[in-house]
Amino acid sequence: MTGFLLGTAAFLMANVAAGMIRVVRGPSPADRMLAAQLFGTTGVAVLLVLAQAMEEPALRDVALVFALLAVVVSVVFVKRGWVRISPAVDEEE
Amino acid sequence: MDLTLDLLTYGLVVMGAFFFVAGTAGVLRFPDVYCRLHAVTKADNLGLGFVALGLALQAPDWAARVQILLTWLLVLAAAATVCHLLGRSSLHGGVPAVGGKEVRS
Amino acid sequence: MTGGDIWSVLLVLAPTLGALVALQGGGWAIRIGLALGAAVSALGSVALWVSVAQEGVLRYALGGWGAPLGIELRIDGFSVAMLAMTALVGGAVSLYSTGYFRDLLPQSSDEVPHGERGARYFAPLWLLLWGALNGVYLSGDLFNLYVTLEVMGLAAAAVVTLAVTSEATVAGMRYLMVSLVGSMLFLLGVALLYANYGVLALESLQAAGPSGGLPVLALALMTVGLAAKTALFPLHGWLPSAHAVAPAPGSAILSALVVKGSFYIVVRLWVDLYGGGSRGGVVFLGVMGGAAVLWGSLMCLRQVSLKRLIAYSTVAQLGYLFVMFPLLFPAGGVANTDAWAGGIYHALSHAVAKSAMFLAAGSMTVAVAKDAIPAISGTAHRLPMSFLAFGLGGLGLAGIPPSGGFIAKWLLLRSAVETGQWLWAVLLAVGGLLTVAYVLMVLRYALERTEPSEGFQPVPRRMEWAALGLALISVLLGTRAVEVIALIQLGGPGG
Amino acid sequence: MSPALVLDGVVVGLLLALALRLLVTRDLFEATVLFVAYGLTLALAWVRVGAPDLALAEAALGAGVTGALFLNAYKRLSREVEQPTEEDPS
Amino acid sequence: MTSALLGWEALPLAVVLTSFVPGVGIMFLREEQRALRTTFNLTGAVAKVILVGFMLRGVALGFTYEWHFEVLPGLELSLVGDALALLFVSLSAGLWLVTTLYAIGYLEGSPNRTRFFSFFSLCVTATTGLAMAGDLFTFVLFYEALTWTTYPLVVHRGSEAAIAAGRRYLIYTLTAGAVLVVGAVWFHVEVGTVSFTAGGVVDAAAADADPGRYLLLFGLLLAGMGVKAALFPVHGWLPVAMAAPAPVSALLHAVAVVKAGAFGVVRLLHSLFGIEVAGTLGASGVVAALAGFTIVYGSVRALGQDDLKRLLAFSTVSQLSYIALGVAILTPMAQAGGLVHLVHQGIMKITLFFCAGVLAETLEVKKVSEMGGVARRMPITMLAFSVAALGMIGLPPLPGFLSKLYLGIGALEAGAGWVVPVLLASSLLNAAYFLPVIRTAYLDDRTTSWVDQGRDGWLEADWRLILPVVSTAVFVLLVGLLGGLSWSPLGWVQLIVAREVL
Amino acid sequence: MTALGLYTFAGAGLFALGFWAVAVRAHLVWKVFAINIMGSGVFLILLSTPARGDPAQADPVPQAMVLTGIVVAVAATAVALGMALRVVARTGRPFLPEEGDLETRE
């Protein structure tokens, strides 16, 4: 069971990693924000799985914080960070 | 009994993982932000639900089970809110939808 | 027990508390905060001096936990000397700052380099910095050093940006970046050492006798990080602007005290922890120091801004501190006590002399509202005390007798001769001459007979007194070195 | 290859990839989002190295507070550095 | 023979403080507080003379005054009033008094007098200190201090020439100071002590074992001292420094700076290496040769100088080396001749500079070619000038003659026959550049118009200028005529030689 | 390779990455990002190399250190970003001018 759960966690993490491609690609802020959302949901799943696999009940609390945080971050980003559609700051080189 | 539970957990977790994959695939492949929002909120939360359920079966005590389910519910509620916010902001911000009409700003 | 542990805690707490008080704003809150910090620092240094003299090296474990869990304090003669120096310079600067910011409260235009922000936030930031500095000198373990170092760096960078000009902002930002990266390098070194030995207390590490690949890498990382913070050549690029644009009392603190904080840690690492490291290492440090002496002095000669000149001179003078290392650990020999006493004495007397110069320069520039060196011509008889302070400080810097700088130079020279390192002796002599050259560049203008053109604004007397007091102490340091050197030798190498 | 090692490999790989991308990108918003993601991944890493308490702190401070700080910087910067080409939607 | 007079140990310190306290006090006065400033000055100067008188008496009776203060572990600030020290101290104390008076008159009404007199006093403080230095460390301390306190005086006028002179002065003296410090530190490490001790502290055996090393050490210290003593290759600052006001020139040339250098050479040979070790090392030969060359060189350069002060400056370069020459020859007679010239040259040269200053201040005459007929307008001044100049030339029984006599005899005793022609040549050259000046002043007609600043009552100039001129000139006469008495400079020097050299 | 070793190397890698970026990127905000990443690299190294006692047992010292470190890092980030914004407000650009740009105005 533990092996299976750890494998699942790894799989889910890989899933998140794949999802990050969208953050990089954009193009709109909302697309990038999806990452936070994805991370919130999948991260909670991973933590719950790990809590079971590593027999570390404290991780369930962490999962709760993750869930909360993802919300807060998303809301804050939407409310405050929404300035332009594709902000690109040119670098001085 | 244990074996049944374990099998059930395997099943549910795999099912959840599948939905996560589906969600990610959607995020990556769907044509515009509005579609992607669907993918990430619906599929992923469903996936999380299955995983949570599967894990709840294995949880050591009732408190843990309640916590797991509460977490899920919280994520669910949050997803709904955030998704709505994101969608609305995108719309107001003028992000075009594929096949949709011209969006006013 | 002579209450040394209580004083140690107070030395960190009181300035911090003072910072909170001063943050409440208003002249009296600021004065009370500064007085609190100054009084406790002075008393605490004296108390610890007495304790160390009586009991030798002091060790306290705060919170009742021993190493490595609790916060470990370790106080020897070197620590106390640095604490006392900080208290002395800090007290004078605090006094000066109340005068410096007195009339400048409501201005905040771009042209005036000291506005309301400075008046409001200087005292809290400086007190926070003071607490962190005291913390550095008291710390007995590496992680504590990291935390205090970081607080010090943040507060110091903020002091730079108290002036509202774009130059100040940019210089402060550059300083902050260097400082943060330096801290990170230091922290990485700490992590490597911990990974290797599982302890953080300086004495335990010293007992472990760090050697081998990883610890040496750690030493290299920490040294580079600290050297950047100490502005050792060639990592000094940030210093001249940062020290020159800060408000005068801030410049004094930065040049006199803050760079000494990170230098102190370098000394702890090389001298205590690694016992000199390798000869190649100390020679490298010395060569960098020598390069700093020459380069910094030559740059001084090219400056037109008074404060920038003094700032470059800090680069040069810090070089001397690093020249101490090859002298302290001669090839194949035992640690040379003269080099130790001379190097540390130089750190102390430089702090006093340099702060006197910056404070005096501050008075002069406030008086003529200009910072160009030629603009101060004729200030000699308008601000005789400031001029005298500047002159005496300059002489102390150049190592002209009777001054602390002379004693330091004498000791360093003696150690160079004793260990047969003639090249360093030549360097010390040449560096001294260059110092004289740039100090005179300023004094010459100040001596000139021309009347100050227009807009001569008198400065509060306490500003002049603070500067002159420090200058006189820098001279006194040259006439009575016995006690101070005895203190420095307590717990020092070979002592 | 044990599943645990795979998991650690994925976490480490994700950390490095996120860090690299966020450091090279020129889009400040993207970097900020990536930084939050990085913080959350780091929290998972803390879990894996046996420090779940730190995971909480990291998620709240490292990802949350620091993220908010960067976001604030992003917002102020995009207002002050360049003239917005579009009208402000808010 | 350490201090036996109870409570008088601190007398050397008190002598130093008599000028230090006024120096610092004056710094805080305002420019217009003239009376207070003058009071400070004169009180200090008179007090110093009185205290030095006390010490002279004590030392003559056989006491030595010592005051020590530990600065560093193993290093002391030590002031010792012994016979040799007092030779120099009395000279500077006495001449300081007259120079102060002269300076008050000379600078009347000019700006920045507060600064001037402050540093003037500090300069004498440094001189007194180094005269009484009991060890090399203390000597170096005051030697450097002397440089710094003199600089503001040299640049006092603030003119371009003055600033340039000041820069030149500093480059020379500070480099010398740095060299001296390195040498002193090396000496301390090498020998283990830096105390000035009669007969020297260098171990003869050690010096024999590694003569090259000790010669190098000697060379470093000599280079450090030699710059202020204006020995040949490093004399360049002195003629330029005449851009300073006349009282400062007087101070530089007679009382303080060059004397400090010369005195340093004396200490170096007498009290550090010891003349015997110096002799075996060949170090004293080097000094003697350098000094001999400088004597002739300075005189030659003085020939044909039209600027009076410049002429006097080159004359100083020449005359000063008599001192070094004397102490480098190892017979008592020569030693006495050299040491006594410290005083003789001081008194004579200060008279000459005073006179030059009076001429410049009263008539604005600065060049020899402008001096035609000044003797008729200023008979007293020119008489004093003539006395001093003839003394320089070595006309018996004036002081210069005594110095040269002793030097010559001493050299012959030592078998250094070459010294005699050098002395003769120097005297002839002295005559060749001084006599034309006197001739012009007395015999030539007035050729240029003077800017006459007027008389002071029946006197030819301000009494504060004339009184010092007259008194030093009288001194010159007395010192020469009464050279045989035991309390004359010559007598005192013989006491020193008897006590310390043999 | 053990799992902990993996994290140690990741820590070193992150530190190097951050160091590289802080040197290469001129944009101030990215410099702050980079410093944060350097810090987290060090924390990873600290936590993944148990030097004391039983490796299976969690060592509280580095955990306490990292906790402190995180707090310090947040404070430093706040200060640094605040200053960066002031640089922008003063100079209009989020970069540090080359040394000398401002001096030459004299």
Side-chain angles (χ1 to χ4, degrees):
Chain A
M1 178 58 92
T2 309
F4 165 74
L5 287 177
L6 284 175
T8 309
F11 180 78
L12 289 176
M13 281 310 293
N15 211 16
V16 171
M20 288 301 130
I21 294 171
R22 177 51 69 193
V23 181
V24 173
R25 279 221 201 123
S28 77
D31 287 305
R32 304 195 197 282
M33 290 308 307
L34 282 179
Q37 194 54 30
L38 192 67
F39 227 106
T41 320
T42 321
V44 167
V46 171
L47 281 167
L48 289 178
V49 170
L50 283 180
Q52 188 66 34
M54 296 168 73
E55 282 162 18
E56 186 92 65
L59 294 187
R60 297 204 180 89
D61 304 335
V62 181
L64 206 58
V65 172
F66 255 58
L68 275 170
L69 200 78
V71 180
V72 173
V73 166
S74 299
V75 171
V76 169
F77 272 45
V78 171
K79 284 287 170 204
R80 304 203 49 188
W82 211 276
V83 183
R84 277 163 303 119
I85 288 180
S86 54
V89 180
D90 290 327
E91 184 108 359
E92 178 181 78
E93 222 83 55
Chain B
M1 182 59 191
D2 271 1
L3 189 66
T4 327
L5 262 185
D6 280 5
L7 281 179
L8 210 52
T9 303
Y10 282 131
L12 285 168
V13 169
V14 169
M15 188 82 100
F18 171 75
F19 278 106
F20 273 110
V21 175
T24 306
V27 163
L28 291 182
R29 302 300 307 263
F30 281 177
D32 67 23
V33 70
Y34 306 101
C35 302
R36 294 181 203 126
L37 278 172
H38 282 286
V40 82
T41 36
K42 289 181 183 158
D44 276 15
N45 278 304
L46 197 56
L48 180 60
F50 278 117
V51 172
L53 201 59
L55 290 170
L57 297 177
Q58 299 286 332
D61 51 31
W62 276 103
R65 283 179 198 124
V66 171
Q67 197 184 0
I68 291 172
L69 290 177
L70 271 178
T71 309
W72 180 54
L73 285 175
L74 179 69
V75 173
L76 211 57
T81 323
V82 170
C83 181
H84 179 69
L85 267 173
L86 281 175
R88 202 180 59 178
S89 307
S90 296
L91 201 63
H92 287 210
V95 180
V98 171
K101 284 173 263 175
E102 267 310 298
V103 184
R104 300 155 291 107
S105 57
Chain C
M1 178 105 0
T2 47
D5 49 349
I6 295 166
W7 279 114
S8 313
V9 176
L10 278 179
L11 275 172
V12 180
L13 276 188
T16 318
L17 195 68
L20 289 177
V21 173
L23 200 56
Q24 305 311 307
W28 281 108
I30 284 174
R31 268 169 221 169
I32 291 170
L34 287 172
L36 180 66
V40 171
S41 295
L43 290 174
S45 318
V46 172
L48 287 178
W49 190 327
V50 171
S51 298
V52 166
Q54 284 171 357
E55 303 170 28
V57 178
L58 307 172
R59 296 174 187 81
Y60 303 119
L62 294 191
W65 291 357
L69 277 179
I71 292 176
E72 263 233 327
L73 302 184
R74 181 184 176 281
I75 304 141
D76 60 10
F78 181 27
S79 323
V80 174
M82 299 301 272
L83 284 170
M85 168 195 95
T86 311
L88 191 68
V89 175
V93 169
S94 302
L95 176 69
Y96 181 92
S97 73
T98 61
Y100 186 82
F101 292 113
R102 188 190 63 175
D103 302 322
L104 311 164
L105 266 165
Q107 303 161 333
S108 61
S109 73
D110 250 15
E111 285 72 40
V112 181
H114 22 56
E116 193 180 359
R117 276 172 57 85
R120 277 245 350 246
Y121 294 112
F122 174 78
L125 280 173
W126 150 231
L127 285 165
L128 186 66
L129 185 55
W130 199 342
L133 271 168
N134 285 346
V136 168
Y137 300 138
L138 294 165
S139 291
D141 71 69
L142 283 174
F143 191 70
N144 236 338
L145 281 176
Y146 162 71
V147 175
T148 45
L149 188 71
E150 190 79 311
V151 174
M152 191 178 93
L154 292 177
V159 167
V160 173
T161 51
L162 279 180
V164 290
T165 58
S166 48
E167 272 157 302
T169 319
V170 167
M173 188 71 208
R174 182 172 279 125
Y175 176 32
L176 182 68
M177 285 295 130
V178 171
S179 178
L180 287 177
V181 173
S183 306
M184 283 304 142
L185 289 167
F186 180 73
L187 184 61
L188 181 59
V190 174
L192 290 182
L193 278 183
Y194 185 79
N196 228 38
Y197 297 103
V199 285
L200 289 168
L202 290 172
E203 290 194 329
S204 317
L205 277 169
Q206 189 177 356
S211 62
L214 221 48
V216 168
L217 176 65
L219 177 66
L221 287 167
M222 289 190 282
T223 307
V224 171
L226 293 168
K229 279 170 165 272
T230 319
L232 173 61
F233 183 89
L235 303 173
H236 64 280
W238 57 268
L239 184 143
S241 311
H243 286 196
V245 297
S251 308
I253 293 163
L254 292 168
S255 260
L257 304 178
V258 174
V259 286
K260 302 288 163 37
S262 42
F263 170 73
Y264 170 89
I265 305 179
V266 175
V267 173
R268 285 283 179 224
L269 291 177
W270 281 83
V271 177
D272 289 355
L273 226 52
Y274 285 81
S278 67
R279 174 70 187 160
V282 289
V283 169
F284 180 75
L285 285 182
V287 168
M288 289 299 122
V293 170
L294 298 178
W295 176 253
S297 305
L298 291 177
M299 288 305 287
C300 279
L301 293 172
R302 296 185 45 200
Q303 300 308 310
V304 283
S305 142
L306 180 57
K307 286 179 75 185
R308 195 169 279 271
L309 181 147
I310 311 177
Y312 263 112
S313 115
T314 301
V315 173
Q317 298 297 317
L318 289 170
Y320 280 111
L321 299 181
F322 285 89
V323 170
M324 174 184 87
F325 289 102
L327 299 177
L328 179 56
F329 298 105
V334 285
N336 184 295
T337 49
D338 274 347
W340 171 254
I344 305 308
Y345 209 73
H346 186 267
L348 301 178
S349 61
H350 170 253
V352 179
K354 182 52 68 64
S355 50
M357 287 175 81
F358 258 126
L359 295 186
S363 303
M364 293 185 195
T365 48
V366 165
V368 299
K370 279 190 202 117
D371 186 35
I373 296 170
I376 64 160
S377 66
T379 45
H381 51 269
R382 302 296 288 271
L383 293 172
M385 278 161 64
S386 293
F387 171 71
L388 188 63
F390 191 91
L392 289 178
L395 299 194
L397 217 57
I400 301 299
S403 66
F406 176 69
I407 300 289
K409 199 163 85 176
W410 180 279
L411 287 167
L412 285 174
L413 267 175
R414 195 161 80 183
S415 70
V417 174
E418 277 166 354
T419 56
Q421 304 184 64
W422 285 99
L423 222 53
W424 296 117
V426 173
L427 177 89
L428 290 168
V430 172
L433 286 179
L434 287 170
T435 314
V436 170
Y438 63 72
V439 168
L440 272 172
M441 217 170 83
V442 177
L443 291 187
R444 193 184 72 116
Y445 281 109
L447 274 178
E448 258 179 20
R449 202 181 286 169
T450 48
E451 291 293 318
S453 46
E454 85 287 353
F456 187 90
Q457 181 190 5
V459 299
R461 285 299 253 191
R462 57 179 176 276
M463 286 167 67
E464 294 212 75
W465 276 115
L468 187 60
L470 283 174
L472 288 177
I473 289 168
S474 94
V475 173
L476 280 183
L477 274 174
T479 53
R480 195 85 192 138
V482 181
E483 286 84 1
V484 181
I485 284 177
L487 175 71
I488 294 172
Q489 302 281 22
L490 268 173
Chain D
M1 279 246 290
S2 70
L5 200 57
V6 175
L7 173 60
D8 291 330
V10 173
V11 170
V12 163
L14 186 56
L15 270 180
L16 287 169
L18 283 172
L20 181 62
R21 177 65 204 180
L22 97 85
L23 290 177
V24 298
T25 183
R26 310 216 151 206
D27 183 332
L28 189 48
F29 187 75
E30 178 191 341
T32 309
V33 173
L34 285 174
F35 187 79
V36 175
Y38 175 83
L40 294 174
T41 316
L42 204 56
L44 286 173
W46 295 154
V47 168
R48 292 299 300 156
V49 295
D53 306 342
L54 278 182
L56 270 177
E58 180 70 45
L61 291 175
V65 176
T66 315
L69 287 170
F70 277 112
L71 184 71
N72 182 45
Y74 159 73
K75 189 173 174 186
R76 297 261 305 270
L77 269 184
S78 39
R79 216 172 33 216
E80 291 181 22
V81 173
E82 290 154 313
Q83 304 305 317
T85 43
E86 292 87 11
E87 281 167 29
D88 202 319
S90 55
Chain E
M1 265 205 293
T2 43
S3 61
L5 287 174
L6 260 181
W8 291 103
E9 292 93 339
L11 205 52
L13 182 66
V15 170
V16 171
L17 289 179
T18 47
S19 48
F20 182 73
V21 171
V24 172
I26 289 169
M27 199 170 286
F28 290 90
L29 293 183
R30 285 192 313 278
E31 190 68 33
E32 59 274 13
Q33 289 172 300
R34 192 171 135 266
L36 196 55
R37 188 171 60 223
T38 308
T39 314
F40 261 143
N41 263 326
L42 290 179
T43 314
V46 170
K48 188 185 286 274
V49 171
I50 293 172
L51 289 178
V52 169
F54 265 117
M55 269 168 73
L56 276 173
R57 187 173 154 276
V59 170
L61 292 174
F63 300 121
T64 304
Y65 301 91
E66 287 189 40
W67 179 81
H68 300 276
F69 179 82
E70 196 179 24
V71 171
L72 270 176
L75 272 184
E76 288 178 326
L77 195 65
S78 55
L79 295 173
V80 177
D82 59 10
L84 182 54
L86 275 180
L87 179 73
F88 191 10
V89 172
S90 346
L91 172 76
S92 59
L95 294 189
W96 183 44
L97 180 58
V98 283
T99 315
T100 304
L101 191 64
Y102 184 80
I104 292 170
Y106 189 86
L107 292 174
E108 185 73 47
S110 72
N112 285 334
R113 272 171 298 163
T114 295
R115 187 180 83 207
F116 181 88
F117 283 106
S118 173
F119 281 106
F120 199 72
S121 300
L122 291 177
C123 176
V124 173
T125 309
T127 312
T128 328
L130 80 85
M132 289 191 294
D135 58 34
L136 187 56
F137 178 75
T138 314
F139 186 89
V140 168
L141 224 115
F142 284 110
Y143 195 79
E144 290 281 275
L146 181 60
T147 307
W148 282 96
T149 48
T150 329
Y151 172 73
L153 299 177
V154 174
V155 299
H156 179 74
R157 289 216 168 111
S159 64
E160 212 137 288
I163 301 254
R167 184 179 304 141
R168 185 96 174 248
Y169 173 64
L170 276 184
I171 291 174
Y172 272 89
T173 49
L174 287 173
T175 313
V179 170
L180 184 64
V181 170
V182 173
V185 169
W186 186 6
F187 193 93
H188 192 201
V189 173
E190 192 75 42
V191 180
T193 174
V194 285
S195 305
F196 289 150
T197 312
V201 288
V202 171
D203 181 29
D208 265 350
D210 195 352
R213 191 178 176 81
Y214 276 82
L215 256 175
L216 190 61
L217 178 53
F218 183 86
L220 269 183
L221 291 170
L222 181 66
M225 312 285 192
V227 170
K228 278 209 173 102
L231 276 178
F232 164 60
V234 286
H235 64 282
W237 60 272
L238 187 57
V240 184
M242 52 85 202
V248 176
S249 298
L251 199 73
L252 286 176
H253 286 255
V255 185
V257 179
V258 294
K259 283 297 157 57
F263 190 71
V265 176
V266 174
R267 280 297 191 192
L268 179 61
L269 282 167
H270 266 222
S271 313
L272 285 177
F273 278 78
I275 41 180
E276 269 150 47
V277 176
T280 44
L281 278 176
S284 50
V286 175
V287 176
L290 267 179
F293 182 78
T294 312
I295 289 172
V296 178
Y297 171 83
S299 303
V300 171
R301 288 297 305 272
L303 278 176
Q305 294 288 349
D306 191 31
D307 187 306
L308 184 58
K309 281 174 78 181
R310 200 169 160 81
L311 183 147
L312 293 179
F314 274 112
S315 158
T316 304
V317 172
S318 163
Q319 292 283 332
L320 209 65
S321 287
Y322 280 65
I323 305 166
L325 180 64
V327 291
I329 297 170
L330 309 176
T331 57
M333 284 292 271
Q335 300 276 324
L339 287 175
V340 81
H341 204 59
L342 194 84
V343 176
H344 287 169
Q345 189 267 351
I347 302 175
M348 295 187 291
K349 187 47 65 63
I350 207 167
T351 312
L352 291 171
F353 267 107
F354 280 170
C355 293
V358 172
L359 292 179
E361 181 68 12
T362 317
L363 303 179
E364 295 200 359
V365 165
K366 289 175 179 154
K367 295 204 159 77
V368 179
S369 54
E370 297 166 350
M371 282 176 66
V374 285
R376 283 187 290 281
R377 166 69 179 78
M378 313 199 78
I380 306 175
T381 310
M382 278 323 293
L383 186 63
F385 187 91
S386 307
V387 168
L390 292 175
M392 281 287 186
I393 296 168
L395 203 71
L398 292 172
F401 169 73
L402 295 178
S403 306
K404 290 179 189 182
L405 182 69
Y406 272 70
L407 269 174
I409 296 173
L412 287 176
E413 279 175 3
W418 58 273
V419 171
V420 179
V422 166
L423 291 175
L424 279 176
S426 161
S427 294
L428 285 175
L429 287 165
N430 287 349
Y433 61 77
F434 272 130
L435 290 180
V437 178
I438 297 173
R439 198 206 62 208
T440 312
Y442 279 98
L443 302 180
D444 281 8
D445 290 329
R446 179 168 162 177
T447 49
T448 45
S449 56
W450 305 321
V451 187
D452 204 325
Q453 305 287 330
R455 296 163 173 271
D456 181 17
W458 56 270
L459 270 176
E460 60 197 46
D462 191 324
W463 70 271
R464 284 167 304 191
L465 299 181
I466 294 301
L467 181 62
V469 167
V470 172
S471 53
T472 50
V474 169
F475 257 131
V476 171
L477 280 174
L478 288 181
V479 162
L481 289 171
L482 306 178
L485 296 179
S486 67
W487 45 266
S488 73
L490 192 57
W492 187 264
V493 161
Q494 278 161 339
L495 177 79
I496 297 172
V497 173
R499 274 191 195 166
E500 300 206 354
V501 180
L502 302 174
Chain F
M1 183 195 287
T2 65
L4 282 176
L6 197 62
Y7 283 102
T8 310
F9 275 92
L14 287 173
F15 189 89
L17 209 56
F19 193 71
W20 167 77
V22 84
V24 167
R25 294 292 306 253
H27 197 293
L28 288 173
V29 178
W30 265 277
K31 281 189 192 289
V32 182
F33 275 131
I35 289 168
N36 266 292
I37 288 187
M38 285 168 82
S40 53
V42 179
F43 298 155
L44 262 181
I45 294 175
L46 263 176
L47 283 177
S48 60
T49 49
R52 245 156 34 92
D54 181 9
Q57 193 126 29
D59 180 354
V61 176
Q63 293 203 12
M65 280 163 67
V66 172
L67 190 60
T68 319
I70 290 173
V71 175
V72 172
V74 172
T77 307
V79 174
L81 286 178
M83 275 202 194
L85 289 173
R86 296 210 25 226
V87 170
V88 175
R90 294 269 153 231
T91 65
R93 304 166 69 231
F95 309 107
L96 286 177
E98 290 299 306
E99 185 75 29
D101 278 7
L102 288 166
E103 286 170 54
T104 46
R105 290 186 325 183
E106 281 160 334

